[in-house]
């Protein structure tokens, strides 16, 4: 259940009564941001000989090649097969981050398939990344934070942003690639819809630097 970001299952017991708030993100913008951030270029997570056999031009990968690399990385990280319908690398990392017992959930996946992510996740309030500033303000005010102090955060600029190589748009994702992402991350898209967030390529916001 451990992850360097800190996961739901890593919460200290003495704070288990507190609300957990995190950020939901459109899988399409998430993939593009990861691709552009290029952490994978320095840390591919795969032996060099195997990496170059699969991707002779590495680290010069197209977006579709990066999706394949994601799958290979995830197979090695969690020892799961992505022939399990609808549980792709983003869904697997979502389980790692937010499942009550990630190890048990991955065991269930290896033994067959899981019906839906919500059966395995802890109680988390998700703010949408594309509306983060306004939704965080609303959440804090509803939970008793001083409105003046909350509104003062509007003067704080963005941080931890990825500078992209180009201005991305929906037209950069062709129909085959769209289908691939939706099919492999079916469980994650379904979970977001279950909590009232209907992510798709059509409503994806590819901001220049986020």
């Amino acid at each position: 259940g451990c992850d360097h970001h800190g996961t739901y299952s890593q919460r200290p017991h003495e704070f288990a009564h507190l609300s957990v708030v995190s950020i939901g993100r459109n899988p399409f913008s998430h993939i593009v941001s990861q691709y552009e951030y290029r952490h994978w270029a320095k840390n591919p997570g795969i032996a060099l000989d195997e990496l170059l056999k699969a991707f002779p031009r590495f680290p010069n990968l197209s977006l579709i090649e990066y999706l394949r690399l994601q799958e290979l990385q995830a197979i090695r990280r969690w020892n799961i097969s992505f022939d399990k319908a609808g549980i792709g690398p983003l869904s697997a990392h979502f389980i790692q981050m937010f499942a009550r017992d990630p190890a048990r959930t991955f065991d269930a996946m290896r033994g067959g398939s899981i019906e839906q992510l919500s059966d395995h996740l802890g109680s988390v309030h998700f703010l949408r990344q594309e509306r983060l500033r306004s939704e965080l303000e609303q959440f804090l005010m509803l939970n008793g934070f001083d409105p003046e102090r909350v509104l003062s955060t509007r003067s704080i600029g963005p941080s931890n942003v990825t500078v992209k190589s180009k201005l991305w748009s929906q037209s950069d994702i062709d129909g085959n690639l769209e289908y691939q992402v939706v099919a492999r991350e079916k469980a994650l898209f379904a979970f977001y819809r279950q909590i009232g967030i209907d992510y798709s390529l059509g409503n994806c916001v590819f901001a220049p630097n986020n």
Side-chain angles (χ1 to χ4, degrees):
C2 294
D3 188 280
H4 68 280
H5 288 297
T7 71
Y8 186 91
S9 64
Q10 289 176 281
R11 294 174 304 147
H13 293 297
E14 60 269 32
F15 300 121
H17 63 288
L18 298 176
S19 299
V20 176
V21 184
S22 193
I23 302 168
R25 186 167 193 177
N26 189 309
F28 287 101
S29 70
H30 195 174
I31 287 169
V32 167
S33 182
Q34 289 179 323
Y35 174 65
E36 289 275 24
Y37 185 56
R38 294 183 64 82
H39 177 74
W40 50 269
K42 295 181 180 179
N43 300 275
I46 300 173
L48 183 60
D49 57 342
E50 183 181 359
L51 180 68
L52 293 177
K53 183 178 180 180
F55 307 103
R57 300 186 308 117
F58 185 87
N60 299 312
L61 301 186
S62 66
L63 182 59
I64 197 164
E65 287 174 323
Y66 170 65
L67 292 182
R68 177 57 183 156
L69 175 61
Q70 265 195 327
E71 293 176 2
L72 294 177
Q73 291 172 327
I75 289 168
R76 281 149 186 77
R77 180 173 183 180
W78 292 296
N79 189 28
I80 56 177
S81 172
F82 288 101
D83 58 2
K84 308 300 181 186
I87 303 288
L90 294 185
S91 301
H93 191 252
F94 202 82
I95 290 168
Q96 177 78 33
M97 291 299 300
F98 302 115
R100 295 185 299 273
D101 188 338
R104 182 173 295 180
T105 302
F106 285 123
D107 282 343
M109 289 172 59
R110 295 182 194 106
S113 183
I114 62 176
E115 292 299 321
Q116 53 185 8
L117 291 186
S118 58
D119 293 337
H120 300 263
L121 303 181
S123 178
V124 180
H125 181 86
F126 286 98
L127 309 172
R128 284 170 285 190
Q129 184 268 346
E130 64 275 13
R131 303 181 186 178
L132 180 56
R133 194 177 291 269
S134 62
E135 291 194 356
L136 180 58
E137 285 181 2
Q138 182 181 40
F139 176 83
L140 292 174
M141 289 183 184
L142 287 174
N143 283 274
F145 285 76
D146 175 53
E148 184 176 349
R149 187 176 181 188
V150 171
L151 294 177
S152 71
T153 64
R154 292 181 178 181
S155 63
I156 300 174
S159 63
N160 194 30
V161 297
T162 298
V163 178
K164 294 184 173 64
S165 61
K166 67 175 187 177
L167 186 62
W168 288 76
S169 70
Q170 283 87 352
S171 62
D172 292 303
I173 312 293
D174 65 28
N176 289 334
L177 188 54
E178 178 185 5
Y179 176 82
Q180 179 181 338
V181 172
V182 170
R184 80 171 195 173
E185 304 296 351
K186 180 179 177 181
L188 184 55
F189 281 103
F191 171 75
Y192 280 133
R193 285 194 300 272
Q194 190 176 347
I195 64 172
I197 303 175
D198 190 15
Y199 280 139
S200 68
L201 177 60
N203 62 26
C204 182
V205 178
F206 292 103
N209 297 311
N210 70 28

